[in-house]
Amino acid sequence: FDVGVHCVSGARAFLGDRIRIRDSYTGSVKNKDVDKNGFCVLENDQRRVAWLEWGFERSYRNRFRAWGDTFCIEADFFFSKSPLKETFIKVSHSNSENSFSVALEPQNQFSSMLDSFYFATEDETERTYLLNEVLAQSSWVEKISRYNEAEVHD
């Protein structure tokens, strides 16, 4: 998994880990273990649903949108943005024209990843947290990529 992992991570942040896969498709590059495109529908115990879609060759639009009963949250270039690119999160009320935006500080995400790795090597609590997060994330990515291979779905 390369592209879809960001979507899965975002969905887990909103839905938690008590989620079920309702449908999934993953297209991959021939003879490589990398996803080229795909989609996934996840649902949690409260019947909240995440519809995820990812793929290459889409004009590098990594957009995030979350709809709820009363608000919609969206942002363009949400993941792996340039350290020079400022990202705004737009929050809109579902029943009116009212909205507001919140600016996120520009960030070099590769540098942040290396910082996190360094801090994890120095701090056992952080190391344990990140290890558990990596294991949980990889488990969900594996389940999603293998979903269509299974004969019976819950």
Side-chain angles (χ1 to χ4, degrees):
F1 246 55
D2 182 33
V3 184
V5 70
H6 299 293
C7 299
V8 174
S9 181
R12 287 181 54 236
F14 278 96
L15 299 178
D17 276 327
R18 294 182 51 105
I19 51 181
R20 291 171 300 287
I21 302 167
R22 290 298 179 208
D23 201 0
S24 175
Y25 165 80
T26 305
S28 60
V29 178
K30 187 175 182 174
N31 298 324
K32 300 203 188 256
D33 232 0
V34 127
D35 62 321
K36 180 175 169 132
N37 57 42
F39 78 89
C40 180
V41 180
L42 303 173
E43 180 182 37
N44 71 4
D45 290 344
Q46 291 79 36
R47 300 190 52 91
R48 293 187 176 121
V49 174
W51 195 101
L52 314 175
E53 180 185 14
W54 59 89
F56 282 115
E57 300 171 353
R58 297 192 177 177
S59 303
Y60 198 72
R61 296 289 301 209
N62 62 55
R63 178 179 293 151
F64 175 85
R65 284 190 192 151
W67 290 276
D69 292 335
T70 55
F71 289 95
C72 172
I73 302 169
E74 57 188 313
D76 281 333
F77 304 106
F78 195 70
F79 301 106
S80 64
K81 63 187 186 304
S82 159
L84 303 176
K85 173 87 173 142
E86 191 171 40
T87 298
F88 291 90
I89 296 177
K90 180 180 176 187
V91 180
S92 307
H93 194 279
S94 301
N95 298 326
S96 74
E97 299 277 327
N98 295 336
S99 68
F100 63 92
S101 294
V102 177
L104 296 179
E105 290 184 31
Q107 178 183 16
N108 181 327
Q109 294 198 352
F110 291 110
S111 175
S112 296
M113 177 183 64
L114 293 174
D115 286 346
S116 292
F117 178 76
Y118 170 76
F119 292 131
T121 63
E122 296 292 314
D123 182 286
E124 186 173 346
T125 303
E126 182 71 10
R127 186 170 50 249
T128 301
Y129 168 78
L130 288 177
L131 173 62
N132 289 334
E133 184 60 22
V134 165
L135 292 173
Q137 182 74 0
S138 62
S139 172
W140 277 110
V141 166
E142 183 71 18
K143 288 176 191 176
I144 289 166
S145 67
R146 303 282 181 232
Y147 181 81
N148 286 326
E149 296 173 9
E151 293 180 19
V152 178
H153 304 293
D154 63 350

